[in-house]
């Protein structure tokens, strides 16, 4: 085990980023065009990075597996983006945003990173407005804010219930401009399948052209991964169907450390599962909790329709247990409490795995029109999916996997332990600790892409010695061969079960044993079961078609194969972390009131795992977390 | 002048040519119909009107303009239709309207083609027909009309043609305003209603002439 | 419920395709349409045949990836929703469902129901942006925007680029898509500096891509899953006239 160097600069918290920027060496404008950069992913982090780096003059190649960069899953974020602008004059500040974020993350994030995030958040809003992002405004024409996800100030900027879409389209438009100008070369429908490390540095990637099936190599002076999270390891999540861990995991297999994989976020307000056919879960923005009230019947197994349950026979359990935050407690707390009431038998709906989110009072107070203006598109979506009208009957909700705080380990420059491999957005582990606050993911993705990587990558280039590398380099040729062989191997198994069968099987293990609540016994079972599923997969999966064609099953097979390896590391991480923090709730470690109980003495560190081979125990590296500016407290939302 | 060519050869430029020439015909139709209304006053008034129309030199200029605009209207519609067909080389096996498409809107090229044929027949029959506006002539336009529409065949042809014209105008009128960029919450509902009213008035108005003559000879004969 | 599916199968862009009939049984009304296709594909795979390729990703109606022409309608018969939000409760036991890809010269078929919509990207690349480099622009609140304009801009910006407008237009015109982006930016002060260039460049790229022409019918508006209005097309016309006739842009 080594202790990882986060390269956090010296100095006071407030001065670190400015000082660091000054210390970073610059690349002369004329030299910038000599450097090439591969950016994988076109979500908020990827698109903003590709556009910003191209604007600086770097040669950028950008890759996405979708048919267009505009489709990346950032588009589905609904609620909003945080920034400490303090426009509403409610005593917000950069320090308060920093404090809320680090506390919300249950003190498992790096202070300096989180502070920088809070600092650049203001620039993000300015930048997005300049790009023409149509944020909500008041009648004076100024920007509107709302309070969101457990914050006691209104610092969230939003564009109806489609903030992620609008921010992504903003970044996509900046990227499109660079593509149009020839500064970014865009590769759609390409999936990264390998990372090439040459002379110890990340220098290229191997992709599959998803239309033709051709295996292609690309080289550059640095590789930036912005490939999102791994929530689909659970099979059912609010992630898009094609979101996957492959790019990050292949990097991990080439030596990048994977940090805190067990930190996964369960979102409290999702549409419950309707049956075995379920292919994904749909999130309803947690902004709904601003006006909706969460309740279950006070009597177990009460099957009366909600309207017939009188007020005094309802249990508004969040308001009862957390009088000061009420329905606005952080996501992990809200989720766990929903699970508790359902496990105790108070759940509603046909499966008993749901609680009510009721807007009757809000409609009475504000009128249907105001509610519709605020949440109309969410209500419509709910209505489409469930065939129930939320203006008339309370919504039914249940927690679901939504976001993954863990990711590839990066230092303060967002560079992994592999020189030249940078990781941005959800794909890295850096800013959310053990739990992410609402409206912070968009903030982090854009912060990384617009305002961090453009500076830090220059610092890397200024010092790095980079030999000329072309796609016919023997390392890339070797990787191409490996990738092709792996695909052929999958195609030739010709077994009895489909890729989805295995994915569902893995997902169930993960949700049951490594989901909302975990314990040592369950995790050990999972650790035994996963390799068995993996072995069976490689003996009995059926992947139709050929490699040299458009083959969606082959794409899925490769992704599930990686999930089957990655899941084991997640479980190992959850097992070693003998504490509860944020989204990682170990049943053995809870307070008398059932809240997460941290162990700061022993576990205030980042766990970064080094891959050692399939089925081999990964090696743990630690980055100790020191807190000089905040006092570690037990989170309380009472 | 490349800018002008680029503009009028663009998809929007062609639409604008369609709309402007179309609106010109809309106003022409109104004038034409109003003039023809003199039929109902009597043969003398109508024949006097035809004499003025065939002698005024301004009309010669207008005729040239009209022919040019007619060619523009036909040319752009043909080009647009060819391009539109080429834009979907493989047809849907099943295609259902979402509710906005109407018989009128989706058959503009067909109704337009029928109108074109009718216009040619109409010009041959009347404008270049056997009639005279000389004082004392017996082969007046009024007489020509009365003779033509004594036939149930020509009456039917004329009535059907103006109904087709009405269909064409129904979509064309409001469509032209949309093409000019005039779509506004406050005015567009009115324009749409006006377009429907206009197309009905034009169809009924023009249909009234042959029907008038046909009925007249029926009663005279009976 | 039991259904008969007639699905367009086409191996790749070069080969000719045809409708192939499949029977499927025990479909739950709570399934989404795409989940029904998942079930079909699982059965096809286990039979050792090639599953039906179709684009899909977020399955919550926002990414714009799904693109099926169902029983003659883009995204099926329901209004203001994409295919992924269409549920089987909209169908009856014994129904026959015809599923085709978007059909347009500018959207060539890649395989089965998957088409190439990169023409949309090229339209945006031509001018669907504000040239605001990453940096330190003025404070976000230094530029007030009338709420009405901000709301109209947001209405237009809601476009998900799915292509239903092109698919449902009898002329395969991309006018609604192009007008949505032009409107979003024309309604905001940020978009003013480049409005003439933008209109000229985006319309030119749209025309060159092989889309048909708009005949003001409004099927696009009726099928748009995000209810983008034809008033945007009228605004596009105004922007284009202004750019062509009034401005000095060439």
């Amino acid at each position: 085990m080594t202790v990882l160097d986060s390269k956090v600069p010296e100095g006071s918290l407030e001065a670190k980023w400015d000082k660091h920027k000054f210390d970073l060496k610059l690349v002369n404008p004329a030299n910038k065009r000599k450097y090439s950069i591969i950016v994988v992913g076109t979500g908020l982090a990827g698109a903003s990075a590709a556009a910003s780096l191209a604007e600086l003059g770097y040669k950028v190649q950008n890759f996405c597996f979708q048919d267009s960069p505009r489709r990346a899953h950032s588009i589905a974020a609904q609620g909003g983006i945080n920034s400490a602008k303090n426009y509403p004059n409610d005593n917000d500040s950069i320090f308060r945003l920093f404090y809320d974020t680090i506390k919300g993350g249950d003190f498992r994030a790096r202070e300096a990173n989180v502070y920088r995030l809070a600092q650049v958040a203001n620039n993000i809003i300015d930048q997005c407005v300049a790009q023409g992002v149509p944020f909500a405004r008041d009648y004076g024409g100024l920007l509107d804010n709302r309070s969101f996800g457990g914050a006691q100030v209104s610092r969230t900027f939003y564009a109806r219930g489609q903030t992620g879409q609008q921010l992504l389209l903003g970044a996509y438009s900046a990227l499109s401009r660079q593509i149009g100008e020839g500064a970014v070369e865009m590769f759609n429908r390409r999936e990264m399948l390998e990372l090439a490390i040459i002379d110890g540095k990340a220098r290229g990637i191997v992709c599959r052209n998803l239309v033709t099936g051709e295996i292609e190599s690309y080289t550059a002076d640095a590789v930036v991964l912005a490939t999102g999270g791994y929530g689909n390891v659970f099979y059912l999540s609010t992630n898009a169907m094609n979101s996957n861990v492959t790019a990050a995991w292949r990097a991990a297999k080439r030596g990048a450390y994977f940090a805190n994989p067990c930190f996964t976020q369960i979102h409290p307000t999702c549409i419950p599962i309707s049956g075995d056919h379920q292919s994904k879960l749909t999130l309803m923005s947690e902004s709904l909790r601003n006006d909706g009230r969460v309740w279950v019947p006070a009597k177990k197994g009460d099957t009366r329709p909600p309207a017939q349950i009188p007020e005094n026979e309802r249990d508004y359990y969040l308001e009862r247990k957390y009088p000061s935050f009420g329905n606005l407690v952080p996501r992990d707390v809200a989720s766990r409490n929903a699970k508790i009431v359902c496990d105790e038998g108070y759940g509603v709906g046909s499966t008993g795995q749901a609680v009510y989110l009721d807007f009757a009072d809000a409609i009475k107070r504000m009128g249907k029109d105001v509610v519709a203006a605020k949440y109309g598109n969410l209500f419509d979506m709910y209505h489409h999916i469930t065939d129930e009208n939320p203006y008339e009957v309370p919504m039914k909700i249940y927690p679901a996997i939504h976001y993954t705080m863990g990711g590839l380990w990066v230092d303060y420059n967002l560079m992994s332990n592999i020189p030249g491999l940078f990781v941005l957005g959800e794909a890295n582990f850096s800013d959310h600790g053990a739990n992410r606050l609402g409206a912070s993911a968009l903030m982090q993705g854009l912060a990384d892409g617009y305002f961090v990587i453009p500076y830090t990558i220059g610092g890397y280039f200024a010092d790095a010695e980079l030999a000329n590398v072309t796609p016919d380099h023997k390392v890339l040729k070797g990787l191409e061969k490996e990738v092709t062989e792996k695909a052929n191997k999958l195609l030739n198994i010709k077994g009895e079960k489909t890729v989805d069968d295995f994915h569902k099987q893995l997902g169930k293990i993960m949700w049951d044993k490594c989901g909302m609540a975990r314990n040592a016994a369950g995790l050990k079972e999972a650790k035994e079961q996963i390799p068995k599923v993996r072995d069976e997969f490689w003996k009995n999966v059926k992947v139709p078609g050929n490699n040299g064609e458009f083959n969606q099953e082959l794409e899925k097979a490769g992704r599930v194969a990686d999930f089957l390896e990655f899941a084991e590391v997640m479980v190992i991480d959850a097992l070693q972390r003998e504490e509860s923090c944020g989204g990682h709730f170990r049943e053995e470690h809870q307070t008398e009131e059932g809240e997460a109980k941290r162990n700061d003495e022993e576990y205030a560190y980042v766990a970064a795992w080094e891959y050692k081979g399939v089925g081999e125990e990964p090696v743990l590296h630690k980055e100790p977390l020191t807190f000089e500016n905040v006092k570690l407290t037990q989170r309380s939302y009472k | 002048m490349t800018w002008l060519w680029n503009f009028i050869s663009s998809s929007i430029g062609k639409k604008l040519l369609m709309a402007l020439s179309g609106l010109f015909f809309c106003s022409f139709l109104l004038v034409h119909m109003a003039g023809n209304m003199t039929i109902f006053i009597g043969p003398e008034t109508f024949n006097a009107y035809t004499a003025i129309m065939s002698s005024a030199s301004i009309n010669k200029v207008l005729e040239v303009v009209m022919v040019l605009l007619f060619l523009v209207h036909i040319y752009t519609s043909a080009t647009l239709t060819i391009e539109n067909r080429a834009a979907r080389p493989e047809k849907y096996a099943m295609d259902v309207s979402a509710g906005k498409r109407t018989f009128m809107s989706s058959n503009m090229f067909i109704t337009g083609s029928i109108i074109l044929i009718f216009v040619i027949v109409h010009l041959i029959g009347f404008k270049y027909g056997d009639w005279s506006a000389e004082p004392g002539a017996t082969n007046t336009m009024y007489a020509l009309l009365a003779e033509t529409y004594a036939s149930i065949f020509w009456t039917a042809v004329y009535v059907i043609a103006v109904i087709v014209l009405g269909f064409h105008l129904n979509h064309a009128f409001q469509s032209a305003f949309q093409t000019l960029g005039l779509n506004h919450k406050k005015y567009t509902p009115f324009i749409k209603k006006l377009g429907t009213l206009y197309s009905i008035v034009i169809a009924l108005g023009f249909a009234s002439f042959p029907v008038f003559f046909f009925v007249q000879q029926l009663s005279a004969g009976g | 419920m039991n259904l008969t599916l007639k699905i367009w199968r086409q191996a790749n862009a070069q080969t000719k395709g045809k409708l192939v009939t499949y029977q499927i049984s025990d479909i739950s009304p709570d399934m989404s349409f795409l989940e029904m296709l998942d079930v079909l594909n699982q059965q096809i795979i286990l039979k050792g045949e090639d599953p039906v390729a179709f684009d899909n990703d977020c399955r919550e109606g926002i990414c714009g990836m799904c693109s099926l022409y169902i029983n003659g309608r883009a995204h099926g018969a329901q209004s203001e929703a994409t295919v992924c939000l269409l549920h089987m409760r909209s169908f009856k036991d014994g129904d026959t469902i015809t599923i085709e890809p978007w059909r347009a010269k500018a959207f060539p078929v890649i395989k089965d129901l998957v088409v190439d919509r990169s023409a949309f990207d090229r339209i945006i690349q031509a001018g669907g942006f504000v040239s605001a480099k990453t940096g330190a622009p003025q404070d976000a609140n230094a530029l007030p925007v009338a709420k009405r304009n901000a709301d109209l801009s947001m209405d237009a910006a809601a476009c998900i680029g799915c292509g239903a407008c092109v698919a449902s237009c009898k002329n395969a015109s991309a006018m609604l898509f192009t007008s949505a982006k032009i409107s979003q930016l024309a309604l905001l002060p940020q978009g003013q500096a480049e409005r003439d260039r933008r209109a000229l460049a985006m319309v030119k790229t749209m025309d060159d891509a092989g889309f048909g022409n708009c005949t003001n019918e409004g099927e696009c508006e009726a099928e748009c899953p995000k209810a983008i209005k034809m008033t945007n097309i009228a605004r596009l016309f105004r922007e284009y006239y202004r750019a062509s006739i009034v401005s000095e842009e060439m």
Side-chain angles (χ1 to χ4, degrees):
Chain A
M1 193 193 84
T2 47
V3 173
L4 293 163
D5 177 10
S6 60
K7 302 207 176 71
V8 169
E10 295 295 311
S12 71
L13 192 61
E14 292 79 4
K16 279 182 199 289
W17 178 230
D18 282 340
K19 179 178 178 312
H20 186 65
K21 281 196 288 185
F22 182 75
D23 290 344
L24 282 167
K25 288 190 190 145
L26 298 176
V27 179
N28 168 320
N31 282 340
K32 282 198 177 109
R33 77 180 84 94
K34 292 184 192 151
Y35 289 101
S36 57
I37 301 167
I38 284 172
V39 179
V40 187
T42 58
L44 288 176
S48 61
S52 304
L53 292 168
E55 284 166 7
L56 288 173
Y58 295 112
K59 271 193 294 189
V60 177
Q61 293 175 306
N62 196 186
F63 298 80
C64 71
F65 64 71
Q66 295 92 342
D67 73 329
S68 160
R70 67 180 293 149
R71 314 237 188 259
H73 194 57
S74 306
I75 205 156
Q78 298 167 353
I81 178 165
N82 283 336
S83 164
K85 282 281 193 187
N86 195 31
Y87 287 155
N89 196 31
D90 55 0
N91 195 9
D92 198 6
S93 63
I94 289 171
F95 194 87
R96 192 179 296 282
L97 174 56
F98 153 75
Y99 181 78
D100 287 354
T101 307
I102 206 150
K103 176 188 171 203
D106 225 352
F107 305 101
R108 287 296 172 265
R110 206 185 272 153
E111 268 192 344
N113 280 56
V114 179
Y115 193 83
R116 175 177 66 188
L117 176 66
Q119 275 178 306
V120 303
N122 285 353
N123 301 38
I124 295 173
I125 302 302
D126 298 340
Q127 181 63 31
C128 293
V129 167
Q131 285 171 343
V133 170
F135 282 121
R137 288 174 184 269
D138 58 27
Y139 281 102
L142 302 180
L143 293 158
D144 193 23
N145 290 106
R146 62 182 171 200
S147 103
F148 193 86
Q152 288 181 313
V153 289
S154 292
R155 62 159 71 105
T156 303
F157 293 79
Y158 65 100
R160 298 206 184 130
Q162 295 147 261
T163 318
Q165 181 202 25
Q166 292 311 313
L167 295 175
L168 181 68
L169 294 182
Y172 162 76
S173 70
L175 171 62
S176 293
R177 176 171 161 246
Q178 295 306 312
I179 298 169
E181 289 181 3
V184 173
E185 201 180 347
M186 185 69 222
F187 298 90
N188 300 341
R189 293 201 195 260
R190 297 295 200 297
E191 180 153 38
M192 171 185 157
L193 293 180
E194 270 301 347
L195 173 73
I197 297 172
I198 296 167
D199 298 333
K201 300 187 181 79
R203 294 303 302 275
I205 59 169
V206 174
C207 296
R208 184 165 180 273
N209 178 327
L210 301 183
V211 176
T212 64
E214 279 165 88
I215 304 300
E216 304 166 341
S217 287
Y218 299 90
T219 51
D221 296 311
V223 176
V224 177
L225 296 188
T227 50
Y230 48 85
N232 275 348
V233 70
F234 292 90
Y235 183 69
L236 287 181
S237 80
T238 66
N239 281 188
M241 297 299 288
N242 299 306
S243 299
N244 64 78
V245 76
T246 289
W249 183 241
R250 301 298 169 104
K253 289 179 81 170
R254 297 288 155 204
Y257 298 164
F258 213 109
N260 298 338
C262 78
F263 288 169
T264 52
Q265 179 164 78
I266 319 283
H267 196 287
T269 51
C270 300
I271 298 177
I273 296 174
S274 71
D276 289 339
H277 53 263
Q278 195 90 27
S279 61
K280 76 151 275 172
L281 297 169
T282 304
L283 175 112
M284 307 300 297
S285 167
E286 75 178 318
S287 63
L288 292 169
R289 286 196 282 143
N290 284 352
D291 291 303
R293 299 179 69 195
V294 176
W295 63 276
V296 288
K299 209 166 67 205
K300 271 186 201 180
D302 189 340
T303 54
R304 285 177 293 175
Q308 289 174 21
I309 302 179
E311 203 61 30
N312 59 3
E313 291 176 41
R314 298 175 176 194
D315 180 13
Y316 294 90
Y317 58 89
L318 289 177
E319 296 171 23
R320 170 172 59 79
K321 287 167 82 169
Y322 307 97
S324 78
F325 278 69
N327 293 298
L328 292 173
V329 290
R331 292 173 173 183
D332 54 336
V333 179
S335 298
R336 210 155 43 239
N337 278 285
K339 179 177 156 61
I340 292 168
V341 293
C342 291
D343 287 353
E344 285 172 354
Y346 296 97
V348 298
S350 56
T351 57
Q353 297 288 303
V355 300
Y356 289 124
L357 178 62
D358 199 336
F359 286 86
D361 286 349
I363 292 171
K364 217 178 287 166
R365 188 176 74 243
M366 305 188 281
K368 194 179 157 186
D369 290 346
V370 178
V371 171
K374 272 178 128 168
Y375 308 113
N377 64 325
L378 298 170
F379 278 37
D380 291 348
M381 185 169 76
Y382 182 87
H383 196 168
H384 272 298
I385 292 172
T386 62
D387 204 24
E388 283 185 346
N389 183 353
Y391 293 104
E392 285 156 17
V393 267
M395 286 182 178
K396 288 199 264 300
I397 54 160
Y398 198 69
I401 295 289
H402 169 58
Y403 185 90
T404 53
M405 283 75 68
L408 291 174
W409 182 87
V410 289
D411 63 16
Y412 189 69
N413 295 314
L414 303 183
M415 188 163 84
S416 71
N417 56 307
I418 298 174
L421 177 68
F422 293 81
V423 190
L424 316 182
E426 190 180 353
N428 74 27
F429 87 104
S430 73
D431 296 357
H432 305 298
N435 174 56
R436 181 175 65 73
L437 287 183
S440 287
L442 303 181
M443 174 170 72
Q444 185 224 340
L446 290 178
D448 288 1
Y450 282 136
F451 296 112
V452 180
I453 189 79
Y455 300 108
T456 59
I457 207 165
Y460 168 72
F461 286 143
D463 280 336
E465 281 184 30
L466 297 157
N468 189 35
V469 173
T470 56
D472 52 15
H473 191 280
K474 65 177 192 302
V475 168
L476 285 148
K477 288 291 144 200
L479 291 172
E480 283 181 16
K481 193 159 159 273
E482 273 183 47
V483 165
T484 310
E485 279 167 3
K486 185 174 173 187
N488 288 337
K489 194 174 163 195
L490 285 166
L491 290 160
N492 287 326
I493 297 167
K494 299 186 193 300
E496 309 269 307
K497 283 165 74 176
T498 64
V499 175
D500 283 1
D501 291 337
F502 287 103
H503 197 177
K504 283 181 192 174
Q505 213 178 332
L506 173 68
K508 183 159 171 33
I509 296 172
M510 297 306 284
W511 178 247
D512 289 346
K513 319 271 198 235
C514 195
M516 233 184 309
R518 301 141 180 200
N519 59 54
L523 289 166
K524 280 177 188 151
E525 276 171 40
K527 201 179 158 206
E528 272 175 30
Q529 288 168 347
I530 294 164
K532 286 184 189 146
V533 179
R534 188 170 60 225
D535 289 347
E536 202 206 338
F537 174 86
W538 282 102
K539 285 191 195 105
N540 198 25
V541 73
K542 188 175 186 96
V543 185
N546 301 306
N547 192 6
E549 63 181 14
F550 187 87
N551 188 340
Q552 291 174 315
E553 281 295 307
L554 180 61
E555 294 168 26
K556 272 201 281 186
R559 294 170 193 156
V560 171
D562 286 329
F563 278 134
L564 283 164
E565 293 176 11
F566 167 74
E568 206 176 342
V569 183
M570 248 180 97
V571 169
I572 289 169
D573 186 44
L575 203 50
Q576 72 73 41
R577 191 166 282 277
E578 288 284 353
E579 64 164 348
S580 292
C581 56
H584 172 65
F585 189 78
R586 281 286 297 268
E587 287 165 350
E588 303 92 325
H589 306 287
Q590 49 182 309
T591 63
E592 281 170 14
E593 294 132 329
E595 302 296 340
K597 192 167 151 199
R598 285 197 323 269
N599 179 348
D600 294 328
E601 301 265 295
E602 290 175 276
Y603 290 95
Y605 62 76
V606 175
W609 297 93
E610 182 185 358
Y611 174 82
K612 285 289 173 189
V614 179
E616 302 290 322
E617 196 81 13
V619 173
L620 175 65
H621 300 274
K622 290 181 184 172
E623 181 200 329
L625 293 168
T626 48
F627 296 92
E628 293 161 357
N629 300 278
V630 295
K631 197 165 151 274
L632 274 63
T633 53
Q634 181 68 43
R635 285 192 310 167
S636 169
Y637 296 95
K638 296 230 175 263
Chain B
M1 293 297 268
T2 18
W3 70 268
L4 185 63
W5 176 247
N6 287 345
F7 173 53
I8 57 174
S9 62
S10 72
S11 56
I12 298 175
K14 276 179 281 196
K15 282 175 62 63
L16 182 66
L17 292 181
M18 283 289 279
L20 290 177
S21 53
L23 283 176
F24 177 84
F25 294 124
C26 285
S27 51
F28 164 76
L29 284 170
L30 270 184
V31 174
H32 186 16
M33 186 178 73
N36 282 14
M37 287 293 172
T38 53
I39 287 170
F40 300 123
I41 303 175
E44 295 74 22
T45 319
F46 180 69
N47 286 334
Y49 160 70
T50 57
I52 296 166
M53 290 310 281
S54 58
S55 63
S57 54
I58 180 78
N59 282 340
K60 301 289 170 204
V61 179
L62 277 177
E63 267 170 29
V64 173
V65 171
M66 200 141 74
V67 169
L68 285 178
L69 288 181
F70 208 63
L71 291 176
V72 165
H73 203 78
I74 293 167
Y75 174 76
T76 47
S77 70
T79 327
L80 289 170
T81 305
I82 291 165
E83 286 173 3
N84 292 346
R85 302 250 158 107
R88 176 162 296 133
E90 176 99 41
K91 303 276 171 258
Y92 288 109
M94 192 170 175
D95 200 8
V96 179
S97 166
K100 293 287 180 116
R101 194 188 301 169
T102 59
F103 172 78
M104 276 105 48
S105 71
S106 54
N107 290 300
M108 290 298 279
F109 189 72
I110 293 168
T111 52
S113 304
I114 294 170
I115 293 164
L116 172 63
I117 296 166
F118 170 71
V119 167
I120 294 168
V121 171
H122 184 70
L123 290 176
I124 294 171
F126 297 118
K127 185 167 169 57
Y128 301 107
D130 178 23
W131 64 283
S132 167
E134 295 299 314
T138 51
N139 57 339
T140 59
M141 178 59 97
Y142 193 89
L144 181 62
L145 290 174
E147 187 195 325
T148 308
Y149 296 122
S151 146
I152 182 135
F153 173 75
W154 283 113
T155 307
V157 166
Y158 196 101
V159 169
I160 290 167
V162 295
I163 290 170
V164 171
L165 176 67
F167 282 149
H168 194 79
L169 291 174
N170 187 291
H171 175 68
F173 190 87
Q174 51 106 357
S175 177
F177 284 90
Q178 163 79 5
T179 299
L180 291 175
L182 303 172
N183 185 336
H184 195 284
K185 213 177 161 175
K186 287 178 181 163
Y187 321 118
T188 299
F190 171 73
I191 291 173
K192 287 196 172 167
K193 284 195 189 105
L194 186 67
T196 308
L197 180 70
Y198 171 81
S199 57
I200 292 170
V201 166
I202 291 285
L204 287 181
F206 277 103
S208 70
F209 310 130
V211 170
F212 169 75
F213 286 109
F214 186 70
V215 172
Q216 202 178 44
Q217 64 86 28
L218 272 188
S219 45
Chain C
M1 55 177 124
N2 302 324
L3 301 161
T4 304
L5 304 173
K6 288 177 164 176
I7 303 177
W8 184 261
R9 302 302 310 263
Q10 181 173 344
N12 53 51
Q14 288 76 40
T15 53
K16 276 200 81 67
K18 62 171 194 293
L19 284 172
V20 176
T21 305
Y22 297 89
Q23 303 295 335
I24 189 162
S25 45
D26 298 329
I27 293 300
S28 150
D30 288 331
M31 277 183 193
S32 74
F33 194 85
L34 298 184
E35 283 165 351
M36 183 273 294
L37 288 179
D38 290 342
V39 171
L40 175 73
N41 272 344
Q42 296 298 302
Q43 294 172 3
I44 293 177
I45 294 166
L46 290 175
K47 268 196 268 172
E49 293 167 16
D50 192 25
V52 180
F54 60 96
D55 265 333
N56 71 99
D57 203 17
C58 79
R59 296 206 178 184
E60 50 188 80
I62 194 75
C63 76
M65 194 104 171
C66 60
S67 45
L68 302 179
Y69 214 69
I70 298 167
N71 284 344
R73 296 278 304 272
H75 293 302
Q78 63 179 358
S79 61
E80 292 188 27
T82 51
V83 182
C84 59
L85 296 180
L86 176 66
H87 280 67
M88 295 313 291
R89 63 179 86 92
S90 311
F91 298 89
K92 297 192 305 292
D93 187 37
D95 276 0
T96 297
I97 306 174
T98 306
I99 311 169
E100 297 175 80
W102 285 174
R103 293 202 187 281
K105 188 175 146 213
F107 289 169
V109 171
I110 290 175
K111 183 181 180 183
D112 297 340
L113 304 168
V114 178
V115 298
D116 177 356
R117 287 169 285 191
S118 52
F120 271 9
D121 285 332
R122 292 197 296 279
I123 294 174
I124 300 296
Q125 286 156 17
F129 46 76
V130 174
S131 297
K133 277 174 99 164
T134 307
Q138 64 186 342
D139 184 85
N141 256 353
L143 203 61
V145 181
K147 181 167 166 52
R148 180 72 196 149
N149 284 352
D151 286 348
L152 284 173
S153 176
M154 178 62 218
D155 287 345
C159 169
I160 56 174
C162 64
C165 47
V166 173
S168 61
C169 173
K170 77 174 198 297
N171 312 323
S173 165
M175 212 67 94
L176 191 67
F177 170 80
T178 307
S179 73
K181 183 53 75 180
I182 288 203
S183 280
Q184 178 203 338
L185 298 176
L187 283 158
L188 296 174
Q190 299 93 307
Q192 299 311 304
E194 292 168 285
R195 62 190 279 201
D196 298 320
R197 279 182 61 184
R198 178 180 306 119
L200 293 176
M202 288 179 73
V203 169
K204 175 152 182 22
T205 309
M206 174 184 78
D207 287 352
D208 291 348
F211 292 105
N213 303 288
C214 176
T215 47
N216 303 341
E217 285 198 283
E219 285 286 294
C220 53
E221 173 182 280
E223 287 292 34
C224 176
K226 294 294 159 187
I228 311 282
K229 297 289 171 219
M230 275 175 77
T231 42
N232 293 304
I233 301 185
R235 188 176 292 102
L236 162 64
F237 294 157
R238 296 198 295 273
E239 290 293 306
Y240 190 70
Y241 299 147
R242 189 192 120 105
S244 298
I245 300 164
V246 183
S247 86
E248 293 192 0
E249 290 287 345
M250 294 306 272

